[in-house]
Amino acid sequence: MRNYFDYNKLCPTIKGQIYSNDNNVIPIIVSYKDNKKIKESKISSLSNKLNYTLPIINGCACEMCMSSILELTADYDVEFISYDAKVFAVMDLAREAVGAELITNTGYTGKGVTVAIIDTGISPHTDLIYPTSRIVGFKDFVNGETKAYDDNGHGTHCAGILAGSGYSSNGKYRGIAPEANILAIKVLDEIGNGNTSDILETVQFIIDSKKDYNTRIINFSLGAIAQYRERRDPLVKAANHAIENDFIVIAAVGNSGPMRNTILSPATGRHVISVGALDDRESIRERIAEFSSRGPTLDRIRKPDLIAPGVNINSLSNNNLSGYTSLSGTSMSAPMVSGAAALLLNENPNYSHYDIKRKLVNACSRIKASSYEQGAGVLDISRIFS
């Protein structure tokens, strides 16, 4: 009797390998239907290695050859099988561009609000640890270290944009929320790469440890190429699960512009606050950064939701722990918006993700660009509190 295989349960990457001559083992993520129990014994019998169980998507991550993957598609309870895709990392003038200098009289600084930064780690820069450390937690999913570090620099730079005190620059390179706390999550390696399954495990950790660190915001300055619609996308499902657990979720749209349809996951999620990059250099103001990814998504959703400065942003160095460096990317834009969210939580700790998203979008100013480039426009924090 011939086995029945359901090819509709396979993502495009796996489909592309069906007719290859070899039967190499590949990393995959298996999602079960919401009301079905994961059949771990079956997964274990078919896979070479079971890496994670992933309750956040009601599934698991494992390594499996193509013949076993096809056999698994015949299981009625399996909803979708996706390739465990690679995820990658994608302030003086910048503060002025988003109106941050105009809100000092409010007294909002992000104090007491913890933001989880999922990235390459965070180095203990003076602007984050003096006079007391605001790195309230550190979790290393790459090397298992217990002391905070960053062997790439991307995460440290993002942390400074969001929450640097500006101590080492006499306030010149102060972050948007200079008294916010940071939960540092290292899930990307020294070259800025990681796996989707690691991100899913990370989001579950953040949810489970919410009360330990008082975490309210998750910043994704990373992403994966969006291969399928959001209802089947593991990263979007994880982001939505975090939102359901009362987190504010903010994600960079990626650096794959200027072509359309280039938004990265999880920024493709309709509920996620998705951030593109403005080029606010003085000589060419009011221009979308060439690299900033454009919408729409595969589900025809207008993205990004808004934009913030992302070109030549000065922030913390991971090597010189009292120095600064310049980077560009939507990765730099997202923590500006996360910082604004932290300020809003100072105004009202009971704001939900949707409250924050509405206030941020309503505080934007449009420029001469399409909605698929700028969303609602450039964030103007001063308009939130005016």
Side-chain angles (χ1 to χ4, degrees):
M1 182 177 177
R2 186 172 65 88
N3 287 332
Y4 170 74
F5 302 139
D6 189 347
Y7 297 102
N8 291 324
K9 292 182 179 180
L10 300 175
C11 77
T13 299
I14 297 176
K15 283 182 179 179
Q17 298 189 39
I18 289 176
Y19 299 109
S20 61
N21 292 325
D22 55 39
N23 201 18
N24 289 338
V25 173
I26 61 173
I28 63 171
I29 296 173
V30 183
S31 300
Y32 275 77
K33 295 176 181 177
D34 288 341
N35 61 341
K36 300 298 181 180
K37 186 176 180 180
I38 300 170
K39 299 173 183 175
E40 289 187 37
S41 59
K42 183 170 185 177
I43 297 291
S44 296
S45 68
L46 291 173
S47 68
N48 291 58
K49 183 182 179 182
L50 178 61
N51 294 328
Y52 296 119
T53 55
L54 299 168
I56 196 166
I57 61 163
N58 193 35
C60 62
C62 60
E63 297 174 10
M64 196 175 288
C65 67
M66 187 58 64
S67 59
S68 295
I69 293 171
L70 290 174
E71 183 177 339
L72 193 58
T73 66
D75 188 330
Y76 174 80
D77 294 339
V78 170
E79 181 180 51
F80 197 61
I81 303 172
S82 56
Y83 184 74
D84 191 354
K86 289 294 181 183
V87 177
F88 42 90
V90 264
M91 148 90 141
D92 47 352
L93 284 177
R95 282 181 55 85
E96 181 183 335
V98 296
E101 296 296 346
L102 302 177
I103 61 166
T104 53
N105 61 336
T106 66
Y108 301 143
T109 60
K111 189 172 184 177
V113 178
T114 299
V115 183
I117 297 181
I118 304 175
D119 216 292
T120 59
I122 294 176
S123 292
H125 192 283
T126 304
D127 287 18
L128 297 175
I129 66 170
Y130 185 83
T132 57
S133 179
R134 288 179 290 112
I135 305 174
V136 295
F138 175 71
K139 181 73 171 177
D140 183 1
F141 284 87
V142 178
N143 299 311
E145 299 291 337
T146 56
K147 292 184 178 180
Y149 73 101
D150 181 359
D151 50 8
N152 174 278
H154 188 269
T156 303
H157 198 272
C158 290
I161 293 168
L162 197 161
S165 67
Y167 176 82
S168 297
S169 62
N170 294 317
K172 184 177 183 181
Y173 299 129
R174 189 169 70 253
I176 302 298
E179 290 191 297
N181 295 325
I182 299 296
L183 172 58
I185 308 291
K186 180 172 178 60
V187 73
L188 303 180
D189 62 21
E190 69 278 4
I191 60 173
N193 291 338
N195 295 314
T196 296
S197 57
D198 296 324
I199 307 299
L200 301 180
E201 184 75 359
T202 294
V203 176
Q204 188 67 60
F205 167 78
I206 294 169
I207 292 172
D208 292 344
S209 64
K210 180 181 180 181
K211 291 183 179 179
D212 297 333
Y213 302 109
N214 192 32
T215 311
R216 288 296 313 279
I217 301 168
I218 300 177
N219 184 89
F220 287 95
S221 284
L222 53 79
I225 295 171
Q227 301 182 68
Y228 21 79
R229 297 182 184 277
E230 61 177 331
R231 70 181 181 86
R232 285 182 162 176
D233 189 310
L235 287 175
V236 173
K237 290 170 75 172
N240 288 342
H241 189 62
I243 292 169
E244 291 166 3
N245 281 272
D246 201 29
F247 288 87
I248 293 91
V249 178
I250 296 161
V253 297
N255 303 332
S256 303
M259 295 294 291
R260 290 178 61 167
N261 309 111
T262 52
I263 306 292
L264 296 181
S265 170
T268 48
R270 70 187 65 220
H271 302 304
V272 173
I273 301 171
S274 306
V275 187
L278 171 76
D279 188 339
D280 71 326
R281 290 177 294 178
E282 208 159 348
S283 60
I284 48 172
R285 284 191 178 275
E286 296 195 339
R287 171 178 168 180
I288 303 294
E290 185 80 359
F291 56 75
S292 187
S293 291
R294 273 73 162 169
T297 70
L298 290 173
D299 291 287
R300 308 302 300 172
I301 300 167
R302 187 191 74 175
K303 291 286 180 173
D305 292 302
L306 72 167
I307 56 175
V311 177
N312 294 344
I313 306 299
N314 286 304
S315 187
L316 312 187
S317 167
N318 67 314
N319 292 318
N320 179 353
L321 298 184
S322 59
Y324 301 87
T325 188
S326 176
L327 292 175
S328 297
T330 58
S331 289
M332 286 60 255
S333 309
M336 290 189 191
V337 177
S338 292
L343 301 180
L344 278 166
L345 288 176
N346 277 166
E347 181 184 56
N348 186 344
N350 294 318
Y351 281 150
S352 69
H353 170 88
Y354 300 102
D355 294 329
I356 298 285
K357 185 173 184 178
R358 183 178 66 255
K359 286 181 171 292
L360 291 173
V361 167
N362 289 342
C364 289
S365 301
R366 293 187 65 82
I367 62 173
K368 292 181 180 179
S370 77
S371 294
Y372 294 134
E373 295 174 315
Q374 67 172 317
V378 183
L379 175 65
D380 185 348
I381 299 174
S382 65
R383 292 178 62 180
I384 301 175
F385 300 102
S386 60

